[in-house]
Amino acid sequence: MRIYKEFHFDAAHFLPTAPEGHPNRRVHGHSFRVVLWLEGQIDKDTGLLMHFERFLQEIECFRVEIDHRLLNEIEGLENPTLELITMWLWDRLKPTLPMLDRIEVHRASCNEGCVYDGPDA
Ligand SMILES: [Zn+2]
């Protein structure tokens, strides 16, 4: 069984590895949509995989750390490509959400996204 929850954050970044003169080298912003998938067994007593309220609490504690930030200033995100943001999110969330099975990060304004199933997938 899998359940998912979406959250949004807005952030600025620049890509230091983009070619000289490329627009991505300049600071710019995106609205990101993140989908977190959990996989596990349903609790027989509650009929739930996880209370969505607890799921939301875990996400919100974390979301405030990245919302309205310059991602390059965050430790581990010095080169905040979509792929590395997704992996960074996984590394941060997996310890508190052991059922985490998949992370999707979407940049709606660019019609782009990244899906990560963890380092073992
Ligand atoms: Zn960008």
Side-chain angles (χ1 to χ4, degrees), residues 13 24 28 30 107:
H13 76 159
N24 284 348
H28 61 281
H30 296 286
R107 278 192 299 229

Side-chain angles (χ1 to χ4, degrees), residues 12-15 24 26 28-30 32 80 107 110 112:
H13 76 159
F14 61 92
L15 298 183
N24 284 348
R26 298 193 292 273
H28 61 281
H30 296 286
F32 293 92
R107 278 192 299 229
C110 307
E112 296 167 345

